[in-house]
Amino acid sequence: MTDATRTAGAPLLEILGIESYYGDSHILHGVTFSVQPSEIIALLGRNGVGKTTTIQTILGLPVPRSGEIRFKGELISDLPTYEIARRGIGWVPQGHRIFPTLSVDENLQLAAAKARPGPWSLKDTYALFPRLQTRRSARGDTLSGGEQQMLAIARALVQNPDLLLMDEPSEGLSPRLVEEVGEIIKRLHEQGVAILLVEQNLNFALSIAQRLLIMNKGSILFSGKPQEIADDDRLCRQYLGVGIGAVHT
């Protein structure tokens, strides 16, 4: 199904009743949600509830044992990871995972070598990340944590994704850099990129997401607007470990 023939208002990504395992360990239990074009969704929950596994299952790592994942209407849950990426799904993994011995420019050139057609050239990407422009000859392992996170985002962006999966993009960053990453995410949203991000930082998620999902024990138990979570002290305390007194909207 092409973009031209998709029904107006149809989800960009649909996850329908996904069951995922690592070996004999049953991690995801009937996970169902969708992402609309250009939407920012934050997936929240305590450590170990299945958030990262959800991201990885979308990418075929692991392949779900049952359920369906559709992207632009096409079934992708039986495709290898490289084919899923080619369809227009980018990934910013937890911990950056840049190539440490390559320069900033080499990291981006490698990612752009087989990129999909789209608006994000190397020039445009450097314009979004001027700090990387000034550090383009620096090796990855000499970058600060914030610079490595920017490089991880830029590396995914030059592949021109329609959907960007981001795993803990604020992890380990100073408050100033968290704010900077948030502004970058908002700019990507303005350019039409849909974003599904896993987050532990509730305030960061509330500041950028249009819709929030809360996961517990491998299932989605809440889907709603940021203010609904910010106003629900019981929900915050029970499933996020944060009282509403610590939430700033």
Side-chain angles (χ1 to χ4, degrees):
M1 184 180 296
T2 66
D3 289 345
T5 59
R6 292 177 67 228
T7 303
L12 180 66
L13 176 75
E14 293 179 279
I15 298 177
L16 304 168
I18 288 300
E19 306 280 340
S20 286
Y21 292 72
Y22 286 123
D24 293 330
S25 297
H26 192 176
I27 308 300
L28 300 185
H29 303 263
V31 170
T32 297
F33 65 91
S34 63
V35 180
Q36 298 296 321
S38 303
E39 186 177 26
I40 303 176
I41 292 182
L43 180 58
L44 308 174
R46 295 177 183 268
N47 288 330
V49 299
K51 303 185 305 296
T52 292
T53 300
T54 300
I55 294 284
Q56 293 176 339
T57 300
I58 294 169
L59 295 164
L61 303 164
V63 175
R65 292 196 187 178
S66 63
E68 292 186 350
I69 301 174
R70 293 186 174 273
F71 184 63
K72 302 179 186 177
E74 177 188 5
L75 183 67
I76 63 168
S77 42
D78 57 353
L79 294 178
T81 299
Y82 71 90
E83 287 290 355
I84 294 171
R86 284 179 179 174
R87 298 303 195 272
I89 299 180
W91 182 31
V92 181
Q94 186 177 17
H96 319 312
R97 300 191 195 179
I98 62 171
F99 292 105
T101 61
L102 299 184
S103 70
V104 167
D105 202 57
E106 287 168 338
N107 267 274
L108 294 180
Q109 292 279 3
L110 189 62
K114 294 186 178 181
R116 302 168 67 242
W120 293 103
S121 65
L122 282 174
K123 179 180 178 181
D124 293 324
T125 304
Y126 275 128
L128 182 63
F129 298 94
R131 189 178 306 183
L132 295 183
Q133 173 75 40
T134 64
R135 299 276 280 154
R136 63 187 302 166
S137 298
R139 280 174 42 134
D141 55 7
T142 68
L143 303 179
S144 68
E147 290 169 340
Q148 289 188 25
Q149 184 63 284
M150 291 177 188
L151 179 54
I153 297 171
R155 186 179 59 182
L157 194 58
V158 295
Q159 298 176 62
N160 286 292
D162 297 311
L163 172 65
L164 195 56
L165 308 177
M166 307 182 76
D167 197 349
E168 303 279 8
S170 74
E171 183 181 44
L173 302 184
S174 68
R176 180 179 62 82
L177 288 175
V178 169
E179 184 176 348
E180 192 170 335
V181 169
E183 290 303 314
I184 289 169
I185 291 173
K186 290 176 183 177
R187 290 180 65 182
L188 297 181
H189 164 66
E190 291 169 0
Q191 296 293 322
V193 180
I195 298 169
L196 171 62
L197 61 97
V198 163
E199 256 305 327
Q200 289 285 343
N201 186 331
L202 177 57
N203 283 315
F204 176 68
L206 289 170
S207 72
I208 61 173
Q210 298 163 297
R211 186 157 53 97
L212 302 179
L213 309 175
I214 294 180
M215 175 170 271
N216 187 53
K217 297 181 180 179
S219 299
I220 302 294
L221 59 84
F222 174 89
S223 174
K225 295 181 179 180
Q227 196 60 46
E228 294 178 66
I229 288 182
D231 290 341
D232 193 329
D233 185 67
R234 182 199 64 80
L235 192 68
C236 288
R237 289 185 182 277
Q238 184 172 356
Y239 297 110
L240 303 177
V242 177
I244 59 174
V247 175
H248 307 285
T249 58

